[in-house]
């Protein structure tokens, strides 16, 4: 039984999810320097192009090869612009479960890209990779991320109290840690039964032979 994710591209009506490559460095760095990304993730701030290059050329390939996760660039089909990232992590191949997260560039928010990309990834995991569980964790006050989870059919399972470290800016511009709760969501194959297929083209899975 496989213990690593395959080289994959996932197509939807508006998006292509593919492996990150070095051409994404400037766009990835710009996206990760956004205030909301700084507030709700552990991405170091400021986020440099060197850090983006290390993620793309070292971290992402290592995670995939080790079977721990998968990092996918979310790009617009028509323009090929990088609009976000979908990340799979903490993958358990015996249980067939993984944790999904997403980041959308500030200029691309409000277009439904996060839910479209997340749902397409979930459909691929369940139908092609035979996964049985996807988990999401959202900070208690991150309502935008929670709306994405609800939109794709996730079920709220409970609260991990005081388990999340968010961040806030002080008056002098420094980032400081802010402890809060995690809301845990799950998505099972049967949860997609009531979710329309308008987001994802289920025939849009394409193998890449040149994954870094």
């Amino acid at each position: 039984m496989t213990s690593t994710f395959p080289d994959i591209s996932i197509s939807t009506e508006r998006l292509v999810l593919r492996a990150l490559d070095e051409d994404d460095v400037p766009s990835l760095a710009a996206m990760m320097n956004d205030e909301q990304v700084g507030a709700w993730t552990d991405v170091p701030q400021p986020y440099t192009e060197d850090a983006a290059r290390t993620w793309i050329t070292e971290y992402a390939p290592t995670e995939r090869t080790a079977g721990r996760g998968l990092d996918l660039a979310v790009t617009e089909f028509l323009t090929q612009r990088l609009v976000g990232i979908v990340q799979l992590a903490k993958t358990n191949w015996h249980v067939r479960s993984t944790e999904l997260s997403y980041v959308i560039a500030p200029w691309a928010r409000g277009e439904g890209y996060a839910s479209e990309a997340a749902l397409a990834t979930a459909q691929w995991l369940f139908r092609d990779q035979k996964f049985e569980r996807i988990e999401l964790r959202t900070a208690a006050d991150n309502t935008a991320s929670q709306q994405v989870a609800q939109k794709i059919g996730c079920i709220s399972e409970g609260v991990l109290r005081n388990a999340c470290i968010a961040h806030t800016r002080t008056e002098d511009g420094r980032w400081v840690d802010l402890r809060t709760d995690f809301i845990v969501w799950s998505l099972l194959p049967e949860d997609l039964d009531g979710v329309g297929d308008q987001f994802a083209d289920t025939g849009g899975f394409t193998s890449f032979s040149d994954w870094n």
Side-chain angles (χ1 to χ4, degrees):
M1 182 177 292
T2 183
S3 60
T4 61
F5 290 107
D7 306 343
I8 195 71
S9 173
I10 303 173
S11 300
T12 74
E13 182 179 352
R14 300 182 299 167
L15 303 172
V16 176
L17 283 66
R18 56 158 177 81
L20 289 158
D21 62 47
E22 288 199 64
D23 289 341
D24 297 318
V25 165
S27 297
L28 180 60
M31 179 171 65
M32 292 300 171
N33 275 309
D34 174 63
E35 287 285 313
Q36 292 299 311
V37 176
W40 299 120
T41 76
D42 284 328
V43 172
Q45 299 293 324
Y47 194 79
T48 66
E49 290 196 2
D50 283 343
R53 187 172 291 104
T54 298
W55 182 355
I56 291 169
T57 63
E58 299 179 21
Y59 175 78
T62 299
E63 288 296 287
R64 190 190 78 86
T65 301
R68 290 188 293 264
L70 183 67
D71 297 83
L72 294 172
V74 180
T75 64
E76 285 184 325
F77 177 78
L78 292 177
T79 67
Q80 299 184 25
R81 291 184 296 180
L82 182 73
V83 301
I85 297 290
V86 166
Q87 185 174 55
L88 304 178
K90 302 177 183 176
T91 304
N92 185 320
W93 290 95
H94 177 66
V95 179
R96 307 300 285 192
S97 70
T98 192
E99 185 175 321
L100 184 149
S101 59
Y102 34 79
V103 173
I104 298 296
W107 62 267
R109 291 172 190 153
E111 301 294 332
Y113 286 155
S115 53
E116 185 171 337
L119 181 58
T121 304
Q123 289 175 322
W124 170 70
L125 283 168
F126 290 147
R127 297 174 185 178
D128 190 79
Q129 296 297 296
K130 308 304 180 186
F131 270 58
E132 295 293 339
R133 174 182 170 88
I134 298 171
E135 184 172 304
L136 289 77
R137 297 186 179 194
T138 62
D141 294 326
N142 190 350
T143 56
S145 186
Q146 292 162 27
Q147 288 170 356
V148 172
Q150 293 173 323
K151 189 172 183 179
I152 67 173
C154 292
I155 303 299
S156 176
E157 292 186 331
V159 176
L160 297 178
R161 297 185 301 160
N162 215 30
C164 174
I165 298 180
H167 310 92
T168 187
R169 278 197 186 274
T170 61
E171 291 184 358
D172 60 5
R174 293 181 299 109
W175 286 102
V176 295
D177 291 349
L178 178 68
R179 296 200 71 96
T180 185
D181 300 337
F182 260 138
I183 299 177
V184 180
W185 307 79
S186 67
L187 190 67
L188 306 184
E190 57 265 31
D191 296 331
L192 293 186
D193 292 344
V195 179
D197 289 335
Q198 69 269 25
F199 291 118
D201 174 7
T202 56
F205 307 147
T206 305
S207 293
F208 275 136
S209 59
D210 58 348
W211 191 291
N212 292 331

